Amino acid sequence: MAVDYTVIVVYLVGMLAMGWWGMRRARSKSEFLVAGRRLGPAMYSGTMAAIVLGGASTIGGVGLGYQYGLSGAWMVFTIGLGLLALSVFFSARIARLKVYTVSEMLDLRYGGRAGVISGLVMWAYTLMLAVTSTIAYATIFDVLFDMNRTLAIVLGGSIVVAYSTLGGMWSITLTDMVQFVVKTIGVLLLLLPIAVVKAGGFGEMKAQLPTEYFDPLGIGGETIFTYVLIYTFGMLIGQDIWQRVFTARSDRTAQWGGTVAGTYCLVYALAGAVIGTAAKVLYPNLASADDAFATIVKDELPVGVRGLVLAAALAAVMSTSSGALIACATVANNDIWSRLRGVIRPSGEAHDEVKGNRAFILIMGVGVIATAIALNNVVEALTVAYNLLVGGLLVPILGGLLWRRGTAQGALASVIVGGLAVVGLMATYGILANEPVYYGLLSSLAAYVAVSLVTKPTDAAVLAAWRERLAGRAPDPDPDADPELVSEPVPASQ
């Protein structure tokens, strides 16, 4: 195990070094929060794939494969479908808006009155997403070092908070690219073929397991529909995802780079399900399906390779955790605190944007670690996060992009009614029930349409300014971006 430990320690030290390097690059708000909006196709694709494929997609995806066979790929598959839909239909317009948060987009579209409440809902979502990723450190470090749960969370969380605080999105982008490469090598190129070979090949797997393990719909139609509703739609509107879209240097980069990342997610989904299916052949009686990943890594992989694959699992968790953390801090600072600061301080008072955002990442990071220590159930926390996001924000966000008649009052009603309906129904039916997101989304849609139709249409000047931003014709709101900080060479044609 000494070689495996060395691989992990070198990886963790490398993450901190990336944070220190990123600190030297993050000299403005734009550079700190969205990497100067200068990522080219390769880096954009890698970092986008890294953030959406976290611990749930890796460890959880293998666990679903262990439990349901090939149809266990559907959870991660719907994440890939959501990313593809975002990239093909919306990312170009989103990138041209040149904003920092989803709530800023709502303010632009509806006239500056819809962002506060939506900011609170988005903050709750990103906080819970960061917490679920942080909890996953306990599982990985337990496998690696037989470490106490609390200590594991503090160790893993502190490393992410450190490099995220130092360099913001520049550090996270650099670390995510490394994590993307490690995940690709560790999971797709090493663990997948080794697991299939150890299980005797696909012929032996089919002979050993029931036929439903190879039924593409074996997990159940209702489960697949719920995955689409939560994860596919969730990919369209999450602050953590949009903030990566904002890093693209052009709308074409956002569109094509995101399409590549979404396609990669589909491959990753199938790989996880196959690994889980192979684990079912090798270890048919595991106490928990979520133990499948750790068990097959510990028992079947050679020294050195085992360390790299465990580093891949750690990379998956870290990429999602850091992305959710900076999204949470961005929303807290830009959508909530900045509005309060405008009330209690003179509007013209100068303040250091980078220093302020760095402080919020540190504060939110400490809060995330403390919350992760207090909570145990990852699935419930993740379900609460996505139910709030989809039930409260999907309709006003997509409505703003697609329906001109939507109004600020309709958006506010949609957020409030949908959010309250989701919370109330989770209390009634249970957190893991399907009804909260179904009925919450329907009530949000009904409130949005009804209130928008009975209220005065959005001011023509607001809509005109909105169309200018969508078309990319508005003045650049990021004059502080440094043109020298380009992640990749810009072709002369651009």
Side-chain angles (χ1 to χ4, degrees):
M1 286 294 287
V3 175
D4 297 326
Y5 292 158
T6 301
V7 171
I8 298 297
V9 171
V10 168
Y11 170 76
L12 294 176
V13 172
M15 294 299 98
L16 292 174
M18 292 287 185
W20 181 261
W21 188 89
M23 183 177 66
R24 301 171 58 192
R25 295 289 189 226
R27 297 194 293 262
S28 68
K29 178 181 179 180
S30 174
E31 292 159 4
F32 191 83
L33 294 182
V34 291
R37 306 188 195 274
R38 295 207 169 267
L39 297 192
M43 291 198 75
Y44 179 85
S45 298
T47 57
M48 182 62 86
I51 188 176
V52 300
L53 295 174
S57 300
T58 303
I59 299 172
V62 171
L64 288 171
Y66 182 89
Q67 189 172 0
Y68 298 104
L70 297 186
S71 67
W74 272 105
M75 184 188 77
V76 184
F77 202 82
T78 56
I79 290 174
L81 292 178
L83 189 51
L84 285 171
L86 173 70
S87 302
V88 172
F89 299 112
F90 300 107
S91 63
R93 284 185 284 178
I94 292 171
R96 288 195 292 264
L97 289 174
K98 302 292 186 183
V99 295
Y100 292 101
T101 68
V102 174
S103 294
E104 286 181 36
M105 167 263 171
L106 292 173
D107 280 348
L108 281 173
R109 168 60 181 81
Y110 295 111
R113 290 171 290 177
V116 180
I117 294 177
S118 65
L120 289 171
V121 175
M122 188 64 77
W123 175 79
Y125 156 74
T126 54
L127 177 70
M128 295 307 293
L129 187 61
V131 166
T132 58
S133 301
T134 304
I135 291 173
Y137 294 128
T139 300
I140 297 173
F141 281 107
D142 178 57
V143 173
L144 288 172
F145 308 116
D146 193 24
M147 186 178 292
N148 172 268
R149 178 182 183 276
T150 298
L151 182 59
I153 289 173
V154 171
L155 175 61
S158 296
I159 292 171
V160 170
V161 172
Y163 72 70
S164 300
T165 301
L166 285 172
M169 188 60 81
W170 274 116
S171 295
I172 292 171
T173 296
L174 294 170
T175 56
D176 277 0
M177 275 305 298
V178 174
Q179 290 158 357
F180 170 75
V181 172
V182 171
K183 280 192 288 190
T184 300
I185 296 173
V187 175
L188 297 185
L189 302 184
L190 292 176
L191 182 58
L192 174 61
I194 290 173
V196 172
V197 170
K198 291 285 187 178
F202 286 104
E204 183 65 19
M205 290 163 64
K206 286 186 176 181
Q208 293 287 335
L209 297 173
T211 55
E212 55 263 28
Y213 263 72
F214 302 92
D215 179 358
L217 304 179
I219 199 170
E222 184 178 357
T223 298
I224 295 171
F225 178 73
T226 302
Y227 284 158
V228 170
L229 203 60
I230 293 178
Y231 296 113
T232 300
F233 286 123
M235 288 294 106
L236 299 179
I237 58 175
Q239 169 67 26
D240 52 324
I241 309 302
W242 277 40
Q243 199 157 343
R244 293 310 173 96
V245 175
F246 301 150
T247 66
R249 74 178 177 207
S250 69
D251 52 4
R252 185 175 178 82
T253 296
Q255 193 168 47
W256 288 105
T259 300
V260 171
T263 304
Y264 178 90
C265 292
L266 304 184
V267 175
Y268 200 89
L270 184 59
V274 171
I275 293 168
T277 304
K280 184 67 175 179
V281 174
L282 294 168
Y283 312 101
N285 299 310
L286 291 179
S288 170
D290 285 338
D291 293 336
F293 180 89
T295 303
I296 198 169
V297 169
K298 286 177 66 176
D299 294 351
E300 304 298 336
L301 299 186
V303 173
V305 173
R306 180 169 51 210
L308 184 58
V309 173
L310 287 172
L314 195 58
V317 175
M318 283 187 161
S319 57
T320 301
S321 180
S322 59
L325 176 59
I326 194 172
C328 179
T330 302
V331 170
N333 188 21
N334 291 268
D335 293 336
I336 300 173
W337 171 244
S338 64
R339 299 171 193 272
L340 178 60
R341 184 180 62 209
V343 173
I344 64 177
R345 293 184 181 178
S347 58
E349 184 175 331
H351 57 279
D352 187 330
E353 293 277 10
V354 174
K355 183 178 179 181
N357 282 290
R358 185 172 279 136
F360 265 86
I361 291 179
L362 181 59
I363 293 169
M364 292 297 106
V366 172
V368 164
I369 291 172
T371 306
I373 292 171
L375 292 180
N376 284 312
N377 196 312
V378 179
V379 175
E380 289 190 358
L382 192 63
T383 302
V384 170
Y386 274 97
N387 281 354
L388 283 173
L389 178 69
V390 174
L393 291 179
L394 177 67
V395 170
I397 292 172
L398 294 189
L401 290 169
L402 301 174
W403 191 39
R404 182 174 179 175
R405 186 60 180 82
T407 66
Q409 293 88 344
L412 285 171
S414 178
V415 173
I416 294 170
V417 171
L420 291 177
V422 163
V423 172
L425 290 167
M426 282 193 294
T428 302
Y429 289 98
I431 289 176
L432 299 180
N434 294 327
E435 288 84 357
V437 71
Y438 292 168
Y439 298 133
L441 188 56
L442 288 174
S443 62
S444 178
L445 177 61
Y448 181 71
V449 173
V451 175
S452 292
L453 290 176
V454 300
T455 53
K456 184 179 178 180
T458 305
D459 185 82
V462 171
L463 287 177
W466 166 253
R467 287 193 295 270
E468 288 294 299
R469 290 291 281 269
L470 278 180
R473 294 191 293 265
D476 188 353
D478 292 329
D480 57 355
D482 186 346
E484 297 298 321
L485 298 176
V486 183
S487 61
E488 299 168 332
V490 181
S493 61
Q494 295 186 12

